[in-house]
Amino acid sequence: MSELVPGGNLPLPGGVLTVRVPGPFDVCALVTDDGGTVRDDADFVFYNQPDAPGARLRGDTLTVDPPRLRAGATRITVAVSPAEPGTPLGSLPSPVLQVADAGGRTVARFAPPRPRQETVLLLAEIYRRDGGWKLRALGQGYAEGLAGLARDFGVDVVDEDPAPTASPSGPPPPTLPDRPPGRLTLRQPSPDVSRPSPGAAALSTDAFLDLVNSVRRSAGSPPVTLDARLVRAAREHAAAMAAAGRLGVESRDGVPVYQRVLAAGYPYLTVGEHLVFGPRTPAEFVAYCLGADSSRRTLHDPVFVHVGPASAEGSGGRYWTALWARPLTPDGLAGTAAEVVELTNRQRTRAGLRPLAPDARLAAAAQAHSVDMVARDFYSHTSPDGRRPRDRAAAAGSAHRAVGENIACGQRSPADVVEGWMNSPGHRANILKAEFTHIGVGFAGGGRAGTYWTQVFGG
């Protein structure tokens, strides 16, 4: 069985899966495509609508049969809310997600950080990747309840609370056992990912996208498209900045914008952000971003394929968050690692040294360390359990007698990270050490810095 941390993922076995969250909780699920939005009402599985193609909810257990999901579905996001409406999750026992295979064997368990005032918690998503299915732990909270969650996934929700009167035969029966008479009525909206969360104002995403892509065309960059997951993360961060009255990559509650992107279900290969105070319209925002070299480079960067904009009214003015990203794919990750190796070997060749050969075991150790730094929120050659580079390399099966490691965080491209290492005497010494003959590279997005890089050398 695998114990997952936020952002952690693992391959799932084939066949039917059961997802259970025991305790005083209501379980729900949203069936979406890769863009993170539902197609119609049937994609929202909850206590008033417990069945959908390939998904069935009975009590605290969701049964998922991935091959039987409706056409085009690529992910199922699982969330919980208190069984007693309006109760903060922080006042209840922490929810624990358990996933079992068709034979009933538990394959994964996820215990997220304890919620506070949130009334809904995204626990995990089951998603399709390279013909198989994987599980990713999330741990993202919502304070707006089940209706807010559904709206952010593209469902219009009307919270109806009829007040039935007593009849001669006695009071009417409740709509559901152990449920209040009010219920959630779903209505599919027109395609629009600009619906604001509390504290955020309506943003014309069409106008924003037209302006942005016009600017990108003039710079010779391909257009970007809106991604609902990035929009959700941007809304949350803009609202958090507005509530705190200050700009920042990390909001007052300690949540960095990059963690919001991952928690929204968007693992990225590269990410960029604009955090801006003042502009009132998309046109003013874009003009502001064109006024400085660094923000203009992000706006023009041809590597980005998706964007998510949002704004929120705060004390004294409007706070903006625009998130730009390229999704993480196996091919993209392999290409990024290969580029780091190539750039590293270019430096060795210039110094008259033999190039390093890629090593799968060292790469596994490097990748695991980058992921671990994101998941456990640290940045060090020594992990919280005391393991050092040599320990991690040996655990990955490496037999190299000499082991070295470079780490870096915050750089957005292979070129930037290798340049940074070469400008640091200690990291440069590792890259140019003649004793080393092999290399492995790891990369992970998220955490406080946004990107975490690891090189492991062996010789």
Side-chain angles (χ1 to χ4, degrees):
M1 182 187 71
S2 295
E3 290 277 355
L4 295 178
V5 296
N9 63 77
L10 81 159
L12 290 169
V16 175
L17 302 164
T18 56
V19 179
R20 183 170 180 258
V21 186
F25 308 107
D26 281 332
V27 179
C28 67
L30 294 116
V31 182
T32 68
D33 55 20
D34 280 335
T37 55
V38 299
R39 187 176 66 177
D40 56 37
D41 293 356
D43 284 348
F44 188 19
V45 180
F46 70 123
Y47 53 79
N48 268 0
Q49 184 171 272
D51 292 282
R56 183 182 66 195
L57 179 63
R58 297 293 184 269
D60 63 6
T61 302
L62 176 73
T63 303
V64 179
D65 189 353
R68 295 183 179 273
L69 294 173
R70 56 97 172 156
T74 58
R75 67 185 63 224
I76 302 169
T77 303
V78 181
V80 293
S81 57
E84 184 65 30
T87 303
L89 284 168
S91 66
L92 301 174
S94 294
V96 177
L97 177 123
Q98 302 167 9
V99 181
D101 61 16
R105 182 179 64 91
T106 301
V107 296
R109 182 179 180 275
F110 173 50
R114 187 176 184 85
R116 299 178 189 175
Q117 294 303 311
E118 295 90 341
T119 55
V120 174
L121 188 68
L122 298 187
L123 281 179
E125 62 178 4
I126 298 169
Y127 63 102
R128 188 168 62 199
R129 180 62 54 80
D130 294 335
W133 290 83
K134 301 184 75 173
L135 175 74
R136 178 182 294 111
L138 298 176
Q140 176 191 359
Y142 277 74
E144 307 90 64
L146 194 59
L149 168 71
R151 290 189 181 104
D152 268 4
F153 276 78
V155 179
D156 271 348
V157 179
V158 179
D159 195 1
E160 296 179 346
D161 193 2
T165 57
S167 67
S169 60
T175 55
L176 283 174
D178 303 318
R179 293 287 184 274
R183 67 184 181 91
L184 295 175
T185 300
L186 288 73
R187 182 176 67 250
Q188 180 65 17
S190 57
D192 176 17
V193 293
S194 63
R195 188 181 296 105
S197 22
L203 171 64
S204 173
T205 50
D206 287 343
F208 179 92
L209 200 61
D210 288 345
L211 285 167
V212 161
N213 282 332
S214 175
V215 168
R216 288 174 67 86
R217 276 194 303 272
S218 68
S221 298
V224 291
T225 59
L226 290 170
D227 186 277
R229 295 163 293 177
L230 294 180
V231 173
R232 287 199 295 274
R235 284 186 195 143
E236 290 179 3
H237 200 71
M241 291 193 301
R246 64 178 178 86
L247 294 173
V249 167
E250 188 171 306
S251 55
R252 189 164 55 186
D253 59 4
V255 180
V257 66
Y258 314 113
Q259 185 176 322
R260 297 186 195 278
V261 174
L262 285 190
Y266 191 110
Y268 56 82
L269 189 62
T270 187
V271 67
E273 71 283 341
H274 285 118
L275 307 177
V276 177
F277 173 77
R280 306 298 305 178
T281 65
E284 290 180 9
F285 173 81
V286 172
Y288 180 94
C289 293
L290 289 172
D293 287 342
S294 60
S295 59
R296 185 167 56 249
R297 282 196 299 271
T298 299
L299 192 60
H300 288 168
D301 197 331
V303 74
F304 297 131
V305 298
H306 293 137
V307 65
S311 67
E313 191 69 29
S315 176
R318 181 158 297 285
Y319 290 78
W320 292 75
T321 299
L323 297 171
W324 311 80
R326 185 178 197 92
L328 179 68
T329 64
D331 287 347
L333 180 59
T336 295
E339 189 173 350
V340 172
V341 172
E342 179 186 354
L343 292 169
T344 299
N345 280 335
R346 194 176 299 172
Q347 297 295 335
R348 288 177 64 89
T349 299
R350 288 174 181 169
L353 299 170
R354 296 182 61 183
L356 301 170
D359 184 301
R361 293 181 176 86
L362 296 180
Q367 183 64 25
H369 190 54
S370 287
V371 170
D372 193 30
M373 286 191 289
V374 170
R376 291 201 277 179
D377 191 22
F378 73 99
Y379 178 67
S380 172
H381 292 289
T382 303
S383 58
D385 55 11
R387 293 197 304 166
R388 299 182 62 80
R390 181 179 296 279
D391 303 320
R392 293 188 289 269
S398 172
H400 290 290
R401 303 178 72 177
V403 174
E405 183 180 82
N406 285 344
I407 58 174
C409 64
Q411 295 83 357
R412 303 302 170 85
S413 71
D416 288 345
V417 74
V418 173
E419 180 182 2
W421 280 327
M422 288 301 293
N423 289 334
S424 165
H427 297 98
R428 179 188 177 93
N430 270 341
I431 288 175
L432 300 182
K433 191 169 184 177
E435 182 181 359
F436 291 143
T437 56
H438 291 77
I439 185 174
V441 174
F443 166 85
R448 300 180 189 280
T451 54
Y452 290 76
W453 306 80
T454 305
Q455 283 181 318
V456 180
F457 306 92

